[in-house]
Amino acid sequence: MYHSVGDCSDDPYRITVTPERLDRQLAWLRRRGLQGVSVTELLAARARGGGRNLVGLTFDDGYADFVTEALPLLRRWDCGATLFVLPGQLGGDNAWDPLGPRKPLLTADGIRSAAAEGVEIGSHGLTHVDLTKTDDLTLKAEVAESRERLQELTGAPVEGFCYPYGAIDARAVEAVRDAGYTYACAIDPGPLTGPHALPRVYVGQEDTAWRLQLKHWLHRLRRRPVEGL
């Protein structure tokens, strides 16, 4: 789980990695015979009984630096990824973060550009709100309307959803499933499991090779397997 790629000198939420760090992290994967792919590609491979050499790479929020900084490195290391964006905040910034610098988000053209490079586009909701605290009308708009807008924007199916803040409960999972998403990513979904409550491993600027290996081991220890994956 990544977010922004750029200058991390002012990064109170630890959501940013520098291009140099991302480059080393992708190199670490490739040296181990692993390849970064989109979540849809990973799940399809697992459904066929394969995919043990694949790692799902996700980038949340749809920062503009994904196209300028992350995408060239993904191409360099022959990796794919899933980019979770906010169609209700096109060309805006991370207004939901009260601290730290304003980070610009991708425009519609930027999202299309990423999609044209083979990046999977998924929804992160419309406006980045905690779905566990919304009313039913807002929940439906954040989940279902965001999917409709992205499919119209990209001209392609949108299979994946990502819960803002990683906040998840049974009601949010049901709304995502009902909206037609094939899968959804959380961070640590607690007792919830299944393709609409996938756990992920946070990766940050301090994650050197040994920390990545440690996180991999700990993740496998603390998370029960998702059926079929």
Side-chain angles (χ1 to χ4, degrees), residues 5-226:
V5 180
D7 178 13
C8 61
S9 58
D10 184 7
D11 187 30
Y13 300 103
R14 298 187 300 127
I15 63 167
T16 309
V17 298
T18 62
E20 295 76 18
R21 177 64 74 193
L22 177 61
D23 186 53
R24 290 195 288 270
Q25 290 167 344
L26 294 177
W28 179 85
L29 286 177
R30 298 303 269 156
R31 285 196 303 270
R32 281 150 183 78
L34 302 172
Q35 182 180 20
V37 296
S38 70
V39 179
T40 286
E41 185 175 346
L42 175 64
L43 296 181
R46 289 295 182 90
R48 297 191 300 268
R52 299 300 168 182
N53 65 323
L54 303 181
V55 178
L57 299 180
T58 61
F59 291 79
D60 292 7
D61 301 334
Y63 292 105
D65 57 37
F66 177 83
V67 168
T68 59
E69 304 294 343
L71 193 51
L73 294 173
L74 292 169
R75 286 198 299 257
R76 174 183 178 183
W77 293 105
D78 191 25
C79 288
T82 298
L83 176 65
F84 292 113
V85 301
L86 300 152
Q89 300 276 24
L90 299 177
D93 60 33
N94 56 328
W96 58 88
D97 288 332
L99 304 176
R102 298 300 91 198
K103 288 178 172 285
L105 304 176
L106 288 168
T107 62
D109 285 342
I111 292 172
R112 292 190 193 99
S113 176
E117 291 284 346
V119 174
E120 180 187 15
I121 304 299
S123 172
H124 201 27
L126 273 179
T127 59
H128 204 286
V129 298
D130 184 340
L131 299 183
T132 67
K133 298 178 180 178
T134 63
D135 57 48
D136 290 344
L137 189 61
T138 301
L139 177 61
K140 183 176 182 179
E142 290 288 331
V143 173
E145 185 179 335
S146 66
R147 184 170 190 249
E148 293 168 2
R149 287 200 200 181
L150 284 177
Q151 291 183 151
E152 182 177 350
L153 188 156
T154 63
V158 172
E159 305 292 350
F161 186 85
C162 177
Y163 300 96
Y165 305 105
I168 181 174
D169 59 14
R171 175 171 162 265
V173 170
E174 182 179 5
V176 169
R177 187 187 298 113
D178 289 348
Y181 293 95
T182 303
Y183 72 87
C185 291
I187 301 174
D188 184 356
L192 296 171
T193 188
H196 293 90
L198 296 174
R200 293 180 296 166
V201 177
Y202 158 81
V203 181
Q205 178 66 12
E206 301 304 315
D207 287 322
T208 55
W210 73 269
R211 283 175 57 99
L212 288 173
Q213 187 65 60
L214 180 62
K215 284 188 170 185
H216 175 65
W217 287 335
L218 292 176
H219 181 76
R220 294 182 68 179
L221 285 173
R222 70 186 180 89
R223 286 302 309 174
R224 53 184 169 152
V226 177

